[in-house]
Amino acid sequence: QFGVCCMAFIIASSSHRIDRPVRQHIHTNTHQIVMPSPFEKIVIVYGGELAKDVAEQLQARCDNSTIQSASERPKKLLELTDSVLVCFIVQTIENAAPTEEGGTTVRFLKRKTHPEDLLVDKFQYCVLGLGDSNLLLDRQTTTAKDCNQVAQELDMRLEALGGTRFYELGMADERTELTEVEPWLDGLVEKLK
């Protein structure tokens, strides 16, 4: 039987404090049924409190899954074959930057010294961005797209390195209470069936 792993990278901001319970911050259906995954293993890698909450939600919905911190060595990703799905969930903080914890992985993949075929025959990927348009005080109108530069750049960079996109780029905004997260997770879980 051909197995696949799913690895989710969830990188969140440590630059601001979340004063309310995170479970209230992300809208979820608490009566979801855990579906058996067709994959051998699902690894969810997170960074930050908000990201850990999202990682736990995804883990609860996927059979045979584990979570770990995003600060682990990103070069190990290159050992993964095309039978693996890596899902990057990255947060953009002030000045269109990744969080400190997630910056290691993002900077590694954005190195200009990587060959254009670095990810050919490597893992498949998907990217979800978490941003906060409240940080864009100089603009009159903003959307989730405006506050997710890290996710957009990472998605384009993975493609430019020869990667294969498994699921569409998602973008969520804290200003709208990250309402975009749940539908993106629903779609990913559905595609993983």
Side-chain angles (χ1 to χ4, degrees), residues 88 105-119 123 125 127 149-165 169:
F88 297 91
T105 298
V106 172
R107 284 188 300 275
F108 172 76
L109 291 168
K110 289 175 69 176
R111 285 183 185 166
K112 294 180 180 180
T113 56
H114 287 317
E116 290 181 10
D117 63 350
L118 180 73
L119 299 179
F123 58 85
Y125 73 91
V127 180
Q149 296 91 337
V150 172
Q152 293 172 46
E153 291 171 9
L154 180 60
D155 186 70
M156 289 187 304
R157 181 64 177 156
L158 292 167
E159 183 178 39
L161 291 172
T164 302
R165 184 180 295 107
L169 171 65

Side-chain angles (χ1 to χ4, degrees), residues 77-97:
L77 292 173
L78 300 180
E79 298 170 10
L80 303 175
T81 66
D82 61 357
S83 65
V84 176
L85 172 65
V86 179
C87 177
F88 297 91
I89 302 179
V90 294
Q91 183 162 354
T92 301
I93 56 173
E94 287 109 358
N95 300 317

Side-chain angles (χ1 to χ4, degrees), residues 71 81 126 133 163 166 176 184:
S71 59
T81 66
C126 60
S133 61
F166 174 77
T176 60
W184 192 88

Side-chain angles (χ1 to χ4, degrees), residues 133 136-144 146 173 175:
S133 61
L136 307 171
L137 300 176
D138 60 332
R139 299 187 186 175
Q140 293 294 322
T141 59
T142 58
T143 66
D146 298 319
D173 185 356
R175 178 186 253 171

Side-chain angles (χ1 to χ4, degrees), residues 20 40 54 74 84-85 94 100 105 120 127 159 162 167 180 183 187:
R20 59 190 176 276
E40 291 176 356
V54 175
V84 176
L85 172 65
E94 287 109 358
E100 182 178 339
T105 298
V120 171
V127 180
E159 183 178 39
Y167 189 64
E180 303 89 350

